[in-house]
Amino acid sequence: METPYPKLIDPSKTRIGWIGIGIMGSAMVSHIIAAGYLVTVYARDLRKTKDLLTKGARIANSPKELAEMSDVVFTIVGNSNDVRSLLLGEDGVLSGLKPGGVTVDMTSSKPELAREIHAEARKRNCWAVDAPVSGGDAGAREGKLGIFAGGDSEIVEKLSPVMKNMGTVSYMGGAGSGQSCKIGNQIAAASNLVGLAEGIVFAEKAGLDTVKWLEAVKDGAAGSAVMRLFGEMMVKRDYKATGFAEYMVKDLGMAAEAAMPGAALSKQLFTGMVANGDGKLGIQGVVSVIKRLNGLS
C-alpha cells in the first residue's frame, strides 16, 4: 500500500533534525530556528553546538536518536562517505526515522548515492530528497542559497515552507537530479574561477593595476557573479574559506568521471592548491596556483 505523503510542514508541529554545522550549516539551521521550528542537532564535536543551543536547539547523541526525534532530517557534511555512514549506517538516520519521515541531504555528493538513499528510504516508507546548495557562506548567512532539489516533486513542494528560509529551491527531477545539477554548477563555477584568476595574473604581469582592471571589465562580457564575489578577494590575496578548495576537488572529481576536459583541467589546478597545503583555504585561492606557475609570489 502506498505510504501517505508526509504531513504539511508547520513550524509549531514539524520537528527538524540537523546534521552538519560547519561554515554553512550553522547559518542555515539558524534561519530555521529563527522561523520558529523545533530543531535537534547532532554533532561529533559538541563545542560546535554552543551557539545553536543558546538559540533553542536540542542535542541528540546519535544520528538514529536524532531521527527518532524528528519528522524531517537535513544533512550537510563533507563527502559521500560521510553521507553514506550518517544515512545508511547501522546507527544512521534511516534506522531511526519513522514512516512518513523525510531526509534531505544538502551535501554535494554522488547522484548514484542519492538514488540509493531514495530507494532505501522508500523501502522503509520514508522519503529522501537530494538538495545540494550553491552560494557559499554569504548565501547561507543571508538565506539566499540556490537549492537544487531532486526526488519526488510532491515531497519537495511540501518541504518548501522550511527550505525557503535558506534560499530559493529549483526542482530538477527525480532522485539524484539535484546532485547532477550541483556538479554542473561546479564545472561552470570552477571554469569561471580559473579564468578570473588567469585574467588577474595576466593583468598583473602586464603592469596593470589589477583593481582598475576588475573595475574596467566587470560590466562587460567578462563580468560574472564569480568576479563580483571573488575578484577583489583574489587581488587582495584574501583566501578566507567560503567554500574549501578540497571540496572543489571532490566535486570536480565527480565531474571528471564524464568526458569534461575543462573540468579535468580545473581539477588539476585545485588539486595543486591541496598539494601546496591549501586545501582548507577558499576556492578563490586558485589564483595562488596561477601565480606560482607564472613566477609571481
Side-chain angles (χ1 to χ4, degrees):
M1 184 175 70
E2 185 68 18
T3 303
Y5 290 139
K7 298 176 182 177
L8 292 175
I9 300 292
D10 183 338
S12 66
K13 298 178 181 178
T14 304
R15 302 168 302 165
I16 302 295
W18 192 279
I19 302 176
I21 48 177
I23 293 175
M24 296 177 63
S26 58
M28 294 163 71
V29 71
S30 292
H31 290 306
I32 294 175
I33 294 172
Y37 290 90
L38 176 62
V39 173
T40 303
V41 299
Y42 166 74
R44 284 173 288 195
D45 185 353
L46 291 177
R47 291 173 297 180
K48 293 183 177 181
T49 66
K50 289 182 178 179
D51 179 61
L52 295 175
L53 287 174
T54 65
K55 296 176 180 177
R58 302 183 300 176
I59 299 295
N61 295 313
S62 70
K64 181 178 181 179
E65 181 180 280
L66 176 89
E68 291 171 344
M69 301 166 66
S70 306
D71 301 305
V72 181
V73 176
F74 290 87
T75 50
I76 180 165
V77 292
N79 55 56
S80 297
N81 290 335
D82 294 330
V83 173
R84 176 177 292 280
S85 174
L86 287 165
L87 292 176
L88 299 177
E90 184 177 344
D91 197 35
V93 169
L94 285 179
S95 69
L97 201 61
K98 294 179 175 63
V102 186
T103 180
V104 184
D105 183 35
M106 308 188 88
T107 311
S108 296
S109 182
K110 296 180 178 180
E112 56 267 32
L113 178 57
R115 290 190 285 269
E116 182 181 347
I117 292 168
H118 180 271
E120 184 61 30
R122 295 304 298 124
K123 288 179 184 178
R124 297 169 183 262
N125 290 327
C126 297
W127 305 88
V129 169
D130 50 294
V133 300
S134 179
D137 66 335
R141 287 195 309 271
E142 297 168 7
K144 295 181 178 179
L145 292 168
I147 304 172
F148 315 128
D152 300 270
S153 60
E154 296 90 345
I155 304 303
V156 173
E157 179 64 27
K158 286 182 180 292
L159 290 170
S160 61
V162 64
M163 293 175 73
K164 72 179 182 181
N165 294 290
M166 296 178 279
T168 301
V169 180
S170 297
Y171 177 67
M172 303 307 301
S177 297
Q179 296 296 353
S180 293
C181 181
K182 177 60 185 288
I183 293 171
N185 178 86
Q186 296 301 80
I187 293 171
S191 298
N192 270 272
L193 283 160
V194 171
L196 175 59
E198 290 190 348
I200 288 171
V201 172
F202 179 86
E204 182 177 344
K205 290 188 71 175
L208 301 180
D209 181 320
T210 50
V211 174
K212 288 184 177 179
W213 178 81
L214 283 174
E215 183 64 25
V217 303
K218 68 180 180 63
D219 293 325
S224 66
V226 165
M227 181 176 287
R228 175 174 54 81
L229 291 169
F230 298 112
E232 186 176 351
M233 297 177 79
M234 283 186 178
V235 167
K236 293 183 175 179
R237 295 179 171 83
D238 176 2
Y239 305 148
K240 177 182 177 182
T242 61
F244 293 135
E246 64 184 17
Y247 288 174
M248 183 64 85
V249 173
K250 172 202 67 173
D251 294 347
L252 292 175
M254 292 187 284
E257 292 175 2
M260 299 294 161
L265 177 58
S266 295
K267 179 177 179 285
Q268 288 182 19
L269 294 169
F270 283 98
T271 299
M273 277 190 69
V274 175
N276 291 331
D278 296 336
K280 295 293 186 184
L281 296 183
I283 53 178
Q284 70 275 19
V286 71
V287 70
S288 67
V289 178
I290 308 298
K291 284 178 175 289
R292 283 191 174 97
L293 291 172
N294 281 272
L296 300 175
S297 58

